[in-house]
């Protein structure tokens, strides 16, 4: 079938994405779903820094590629062997599916699935297939989803069924932002009620971490970001304090919290932000990083301090989540008003404006944007 999609054909575009027409809206061929795969009609797709990182070269991926990974939609057709989904089902896309057989999957850590990493790294679905092509040439899938399009074929493992009472532009935000940010709070850090928390980097994922910390009963939640407009939103989302990132940040946080926070979360994908998160963590505290910096980025670490202060430094990929378990729990919190994710949504736009959305993401004028697809 013929679909409309936003295609990245050249990478390394540092800025000015609308002017450069970084993503081009093209007619793309989409093959039917094979065994274990599902054809979905996309309803909404979030615009995430992980998409921007492919465009600017921070996260190199094989090109050409249809970007987009945070999404929701409705099933149109199922491939052989898929018997638990049917046409019309509302589904949320998961960019880190599990095969169920490798060691991480057996340990209950599907986000670290070895098979998914292997296939997604070369632009395939976890099934080993490519279903996209253009002008007779293969087109790569973005982490098994490729959501900036009218339709997508994805592996069954890349979908979680959602109830129809949650609008697609809301369920989309749970696909990546909430799983990553709130998941880091719930699953990676296991924060305790009354804990002191800092969140460094207040984009969509950072806002999700603030929502998660508030829902988990954190006593203090300190939001840290260079953009004052984002700090204002953070206070409305549940942060108790907001501090602009500058040379005095660490001293201010330590003063507010009486020596540092119990848990600090770095969600900006920057070494400088991670250093700030580490420095605002108290003795005996835990620093969690869920941002995705350039593969060559390195952080200097005082090893003595790590030991003498009994520090913990942990990585968190897609919030250490088990999506089939965690999404229903998060949806329940949303229904109770404990996770008002709609407050992080700053823009809704058509697919034609996808490069404008990338510019907003790059200059910090947006928190979470959603592309309305149908």
């Amino acid at each position: 079938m013929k679909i409309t999609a936003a295609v990245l054909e050249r990478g390394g575009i540092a800025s000015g994405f609308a002017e450069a027409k970084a993503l081009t809206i093209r007619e793309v061929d989409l093959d039917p779903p094979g065994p274990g795969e599902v054809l979905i009609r996309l309803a909404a797709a979030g615009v995430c820094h992980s998409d921007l990182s492919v465009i600017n070269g921070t996260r190199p991926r094989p090109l050409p590629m249809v970007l987009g990974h945070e999404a929701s939609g409705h099933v149109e057709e199922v491939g052989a062997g898929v018997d638990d989904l049917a046409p019309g089902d509302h589904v949320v896309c998961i960019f880190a599916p599990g095969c169920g057989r490798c060691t991480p999957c057996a340990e209950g850590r599907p986000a670290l699935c070895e098979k998914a990493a292997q296939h997604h790294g070369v632009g395939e679905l976890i099934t080993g297939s490519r279903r996209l092509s253009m002008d007779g040439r293969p087109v790569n899938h973005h982490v098994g989803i490729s959501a900036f399009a009218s339709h997508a074929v994805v592996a069954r493992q890349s979908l979680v069924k959602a109830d129809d009472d949650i609008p697609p532009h809301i369920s989309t935000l749970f696909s990546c932002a909430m799983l990553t940010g709130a998941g880091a709070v719930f699953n990676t850090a296991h924060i305790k009620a009354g804990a002191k928390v800092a969140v460094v980097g207040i984009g969509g994922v950072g806002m999700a971490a603030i929502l998660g910390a508030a829902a988990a009963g954190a006593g203090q939640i300190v939001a840290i970001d260079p953009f004052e407009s984002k700090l204002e939103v953070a206070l409305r989302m549940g942060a108790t304090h907001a501090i602009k990132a500058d040379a005095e940040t660490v001293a201010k946080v330590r003063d507010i919290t009486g020596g540092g926070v119990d848990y600090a979360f770095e969600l900006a994908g920057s070494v400088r932000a991670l250093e700030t998160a580490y420095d605002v963590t108290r003795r005996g505290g835990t620093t969690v990083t869920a941002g995705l910096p350039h593969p060559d980025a390195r952080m200097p670490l005082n090893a003595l301090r790590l030991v003498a202060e009994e520090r913990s430094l942990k990585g968190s990929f897609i919030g250490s989540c088990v999506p089939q378990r965690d999404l229903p729990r998060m949806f329940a919190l949303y229904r109770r008003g404990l996770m008002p994710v709609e407050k992080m949504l700053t823009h809704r736009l058509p697919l034609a404006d996808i490069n404008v959305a990338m510019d907003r993401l790059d200059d910090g004028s947006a928190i979470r944007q959603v592309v309305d697809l149908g």
Side-chain angles (χ1 to χ4, degrees), residues 169-170 173 211 237 334 337 339-346:
H169 72 281
I170 295 296
L173 300 176
L211 286 175
M237 299 282 280
Y334 165 74
M339 278 193 169
V341 298
E342 66 280 357
K343 292 183 179 179
M344 74 167 71
L345 183 56
T346 54

Side-chain angles (χ1 to χ4, degrees), residues 11-344:
I13 304 171
S15 62
F17 306 107
E19 183 178 356
K21 297 181 180 177
L23 294 168
T24 54
I25 307 302
R26 300 286 300 270
E27 183 179 79
V28 176
D29 292 303
L30 180 65
D31 292 338
E37 298 171 356
V38 180
L39 169 66
I40 62 172
R41 174 174 49 83
L42 289 152
V47 183
C48 176
H49 264 99
S50 294
D51 302 303
L52 183 61
S53 295
V54 180
I55 299 174
N56 65 25
T58 301
R59 302 289 294 175
R61 295 284 179 178
L63 303 179
M65 175 175 279
V66 175
L67 293 187
H69 65 282
E70 179 182 82
S72 65
H74 296 88
V75 174
E76 288 213 338
E77 182 184 347
V78 299
V82 179
D83 56 10
D84 57 345
L85 289 176
D89 283 348
H90 176 196
V91 288
V92 172
C93 298
I94 304 299
F95 68 87
C99 70
R101 295 185 295 276
C102 67
T103 298
C105 284
E107 294 174 340
R109 306 171 78 186
L112 303 182
C113 177
E114 295 166 352
K115 184 177 180 181
Q118 173 190 349
H119 288 294
H120 289 180
V122 295
E124 298 173 342
L125 305 180
I126 193 175
T127 59
S129 302
R130 282 188 184 85
R131 300 300 179 194
L132 294 165
S133 61
M134 184 175 65
D135 302 328
R137 298 178 298 138
V139 173
N140 294 293
H141 298 266
H142 185 211
V143 287
I145 305 296
S146 290
F148 294 154
S150 58
H151 296 76
V153 167
V154 302
R156 171 62 187 91
Q157 299 99 310
S158 296
L159 297 173
V160 173
K161 188 175 179 181
D163 293 333
D164 291 331
D165 65 326
I166 301 178
H169 72 281
I170 295 296
S171 65
T172 290
L173 300 176
F174 287 86
S175 170
C176 170
M178 293 304 296
L179 281 180
T180 302
V185 171
F186 297 150
N187 299 320
T188 311
H190 302 286
I191 79 166
K192 298 178 175 64
K196 299 174 183 179
V197 171
V199 178
V200 184
I202 312 299
V205 176
M207 290 295 182
I210 290 172
L211 286 175
Q220 284 183 301
I221 304 173
V222 183
I224 302 169
D225 197 272
F227 294 99
E228 291 185 359
S229 59
K230 293 186 177 184
L231 294 175
E232 292 169 4
V233 177
L235 291 170
R236 297 198 296 270
M237 299 282 280
T240 59
H241 300 81
I243 295 179
K244 187 174 181 179
D246 58 27
E248 304 300 320
T249 297
V250 174
K252 290 176 182 177
V253 174
R254 288 187 168 275
D255 180 59
I256 288 170
T257 59
V261 297
D262 304 302
Y263 305 93
F265 298 87
E266 180 279 312
L267 300 166
S270 125
V271 170
R272 185 175 179 182
L274 179 53
E275 289 173 342
T276 297
Y278 191 75
D279 288 340
V280 301
T281 305
R282 68 167 177 81
R283 294 164 61 91
T286 298
T287 308
V288 175
T289 175
L292 292 171
H294 191 280
D296 295 335
R298 297 291 184 270
M299 174 188 173
L301 186 66
N302 185 318
L304 175 62
R305 203 173 157 203
L306 186 68
V307 175
E309 297 183 5
E310 284 199 359
R311 298 291 203 91
S312 295
L313 177 60
K314 304 182 72 174
S316 177
F317 185 56
I318 193 173
S320 307
C321 279
V322 180
Q324 296 284 357
R325 175 198 68 194
D326 293 328
L327 273 177
R329 294 176 177 177
M330 291 185 184
F331 287 147
L333 291 171
Y334 165 74
R335 289 190 184 94
R336 291 189 59 199
L338 298 175
M339 278 193 169
V341 298
E342 66 280 357
K343 292 183 179 179
M344 74 167 71

